[in-house]
Structures are given as C-alpha cells and as structure tokens.
Amino acid sequence: MEKSRKIVSLLVMMVLMLSLASCGQSPQAKTDKPELHTITDMAGREVVVPKEINKVFCPSPVGTIFVYTLDPDLLVGWNYELRSGEKEYILAQYHSLPNLGGWYAKATCNIEELLKINPDVILNVGSLDVEQTNKIQEQTGIPVVMIDTDDFANFDKAYEFAGKLLNLEDRANELGSYCRETVNDILAKAATIPEDQKVRVYYAEGASGLETDPKGSSHVETLDIVGGLNVAEVDLKGGMGMTPVSLEQVLAWNPEVIISWNEAQGGYYSKMLTDSKWESIAAIKNKKVYAVPSGPFNWFDRPPSVNRIIGLKWLGNLLYPETYQYDMAKEAKEFYKKFYHYDLTDEELSSLLKDAGGF
C-alpha cells in the first residue's frame, strides 16, 4: 500500500512539473515558426515566404552579386570558389562563405549543404525561367522567388521589388535610382550618335579570341546600348552564347576597336597584340584593343548582373569620349562604394583600367 502511495505521489509531481514548465514557456518558444505571408514574384507566381528574411541563397552569380550589393550579410554562400582578383574587392568577412554551386551553366548545387544552412528564401535573379524555378523549389522545399533583371531597363524595378521583399526599401531605392538614371543618361547620349559615325567593334571571347556574340545577344547588351556597331555577323545562340568564328571572318570584318576578355578570364588580349596573323586588322594597327576591366566582377559581360552598370560608362567613354565625357575615376569610386561597399584607391583604379583605356 505504502509503495502504491509513493508511486501515485511521484506521478502527481511529474504532472505538476510538466504543467509548470508548459505555463512558464515564453510566447517565443511556443511560436518558433516564422510569420509567413504570400507575395507575387516578378514572374507572377504566388510564393509563401517569411515576413522577416535573414538568410538568402541565389542559384547563380547573377543573383549573388545582386544580393551582395543590397546587403552581403544576407548571403549564405557563393556559387563558385572566389578568385584572388575578386577577393581583392570583396570585403574580407565574406571570403569564407561556402561555395554551394548552383543551377546555372554546368554548375551543380550542393543541396545537402544548402539544406543544412536552410536559407529563408532562394532568389532566382536574371531571366524569368519558371520551369527551372519550380524545379528548384521542389528539390529543396525552400520558397523560390523570381526577380527579373533580363535587361538593363529592369534593374530599378528589380531593386524596388527586392527592397520590399527583404525589408531594405531605402537601400534598394538608392541602388535602383542609380541604375535608372545611368541607363537613361546612356540611352540619351547614344541617341545623338549618327549612324555613319558609329564605331565598329569586335568582342573577342575565349582563349583564342575567336568566339563572339552578335548584336541582340545578352552578352553584348553593354555594347548595343552605348551605340557601338557590333561587326559580328553570326547566328544568335542562346544560353552561354560564344559562337565560334574564324580568323578570316574577323579579318573581313576589320573592326576599328576590339574588346577582349582580360587575362584573368583566360582571354587572348596580350597575344592578340603580338600575333602576326592579326596585325592587318585596323584595331590592331591603331592600338585600339582593350581588355575588359574585371574586379570583383566583369564590367562588360559574364555574369550579366548589375556589375555591368559601371561598364556602360566605361565603354561609352572609350568609344565616344566626346559624347559621354564621364570622369571615370569619380564614377568608378562612387559605384564601388555604393554597390560593393568598397573604397577604391587611385592605385586600384589604375590597375583595373591599365589595359582598358585608362582614365
């Protein structure tokens, strides 16, 4: 009997302790799930996302750069191992973010590591690929939101949308306004260039300089907007572009200016200047061959993100100095401070532009 009473007393005490523990729980402990709401992304898809977003992953460098410009603290990882030239202009505390891969070109996302980090949302920034976006959402179980930056005219709208989504409206409006004002100014200046005065340009891609993209390709959008005349008469390829051409074609096109991949990209820039097979081209004879500035990201192309905005001013100045008349030292320093959170020195600017026409 005495033993039974002890057992009953013990059970009563356990119930009381559990009740007290339950009563003592804070409201936060009871509601540890984030508050959600439904938003409509830039592709018109309805997506349920947290109201407060603190961790973001992007499937490609296009989005990763975009988010870095807004708030690098949001990023949970890169899409590839950062190169030394990129690290030079990226704040040191973000160098160690993991390389999680992605869903672009031939990259494969490390989904296992991504799920361990468990970002609040995935932002698929760039062209509106709904099929890919839905696939990523199914594979990860993480909400995926699409943001349209398919051409320069969309950057201000993309920032406006992202600012509301990420509760960074003031910051986003600042960057979006800069993009809008820059593009509008470039377009207004380009419209004043007579057709018969447009500079004929060849974009030399690849290790041999014998790959390129024609007018209308997203990879030469910077050239098209500033009013350069792309000499490449080749078929438009989708995806990564880069149509192979022969040296005979380039000789026949005889461009006045050549814009080349820089050496960090594995381009043919320096060899082109000494290769006797290229020497009859007008651009070579007149020493008008320029390597695209790159650091932390390419100013002209790949990845086709907001990094190209400063490239509009550089290329406009390079091709039509009388029309554009930008102070590139001032412009580059402002851009790096505003978008990359980085104070660019005169020495760094000189290094960036040493093969790109100077400043």
Side-chain angles (χ1 to χ4, degrees):
M1 179 69 75
E2 185 62 29
K3 187 176 180 180
S4 298
R5 285 200 189 100
K6 286 183 179 179
I7 292 172
V8 170
S9 298
L10 184 59
L11 289 171
V12 169
M13 286 178 66
M14 290 176 65
V15 170
L16 285 171
M17 288 173 67
L18 288 170
S19 297
L20 288 169
S22 177
C23 290
Q25 272 190 331
S26 66
Q28 181 66 31
K30 285 182 181 179
T31 58
D32 55 355
K33 289 187 178 180
E35 188 178 355
L36 305 176
H37 67 149
T38 301
I39 59 101
T40 302
D41 70 12
M42 294 185 76
R45 299 163 58 253
E46 289 193 347
V47 189
V48 178
V49 299
K51 282 192 172 182
E52 183 178 341
I53 295 173
N54 298 304
K55 295 189 296 182
V56 173
F57 179 68
C58 299
S60 79
V62 174
T64 301
I65 294 170
F66 181 79
V67 174
Y68 183 87
T69 64
L70 272 169
D71 183 358
D73 284 340
L74 291 172
L75 286 176
V76 301
W78 300 103
N79 305 110
Y80 57 88
E81 294 294 337
L82 291 177
R83 306 173 187 93
S84 58
E86 292 166 330
K87 288 181 177 180
E88 187 175 348
Y89 302 99
I90 290 172
L91 300 178
Q93 60 264 43
Y94 305 108
H95 292 181
S96 59
L97 288 175
N99 168 20
L100 298 172
W103 286 268
Y104 68 101
K106 296 180 180 178
T108 302
C109 182
N110 189 333
I111 295 178
E112 184 179 346
E113 289 302 312
L114 178 64
L115 293 178
K116 286 179 185 176
I117 298 170
N118 192 30
D120 299 314
V121 70
I122 293 174
L123 298 184
N124 199 4
V125 182
S127 59
L128 298 178
D129 189 336
V130 175
E131 183 179 353
Q132 182 203 52
T133 299
N134 290 338
K135 181 181 178 182
I136 294 170
Q137 189 162 286
E138 289 169 9
Q139 285 180 328
T140 63
I142 299 168
V144 185
V145 176
M146 299 188 73
I147 298 180
D148 183 8
T149 61
D150 201 30
D151 62 53
F152 281 102
N154 286 344
F155 275 115
D156 60 337
K157 302 178 190 69
Y159 274 117
E160 180 183 1
F161 175 86
K164 292 176 180 176
L165 176 70
L166 302 171
N167 300 310
L168 293 169
E169 291 187 64
D170 289 344
R171 171 75 178 148
N173 289 338
E174 178 189 12
L175 300 184
S177 294
Y178 180 95
C179 292
R180 181 175 59 254
E181 291 163 11
T182 297
V183 171
N184 287 344
D185 189 46
I186 293 287
L187 290 173
K189 287 176 166 62
T192 68
I193 303 167
E195 280 296 321
D196 61 355
Q197 293 180 27
K198 288 190 173 181
V199 178
R200 303 175 68 256
V201 182
Y202 172 68
Y203 177 34
E205 302 178 81
S208 65
L210 293 175
E211 293 173 271
T212 194
D213 284 283
K215 181 177 180 179
S217 166
S218 61
H219 299 291
V220 289
E221 190 180 5
T222 307
L223 176 60
D224 292 346
I225 287 179
V226 302
L229 187 62
N230 189 341
V231 300
E233 297 176 1
V234 295
D235 291 335
L236 178 64
K237 286 178 65 177
M240 294 297 290
M242 296 179 61
T243 301
V245 297
S246 66
L247 181 57
E248 287 70 29
Q249 285 175 289
V250 181
L251 291 170
W253 294 330
N254 196 29
E256 299 169 86
V257 170
I258 295 175
I259 303 297
S260 173
W261 276 14
N262 58 61
E263 292 187 357
Q265 286 180 282
Y268 200 62
Y269 169 72
S270 58
K271 295 176 184 175
M272 194 184 301
L273 297 171
T274 57
D275 189 335
S276 61
K277 294 190 289 294
W278 290 67
E279 64 184 8
S280 66
I281 298 173
I284 304 289
K285 287 193 289 189
N286 296 320
K287 296 182 170 54
K288 291 191 174 182
V289 181
Y290 307 99
V292 177
S294 184
F297 308 110
N298 190 287
W299 287 21
F300 181 82
D301 184 19
R302 297 181 179 83
S305 191
V306 69
N307 45 293
R308 299 174 300 161
I309 291 289
I310 187 61
L312 290 172
K313 293 183 175 181
W314 159 70
L315 191 59
N317 257 28
L318 187 69
L319 299 181
Y320 306 105
E322 305 266 329
T323 300
Y324 288 94
Q325 298 184 355
Y326 292 116
D327 179 345
M328 281 312 300
K330 176 176 176 289
E331 296 290 346
K333 287 180 179 180
E334 180 187 0
F335 183 84
Y336 273 60
K337 179 71 172 178
K338 192 182 296 287
F339 285 82
Y340 297 148
H341 325 280
Y342 189 87
D343 290 310
L344 196 63
T345 67
D346 289 340
E347 292 75 18
E348 288 168 334
L349 181 60
S350 180
S351 176
L352 283 167
L353 295 179
K354 67 182 176 67
D355 297 324
F359 65 96

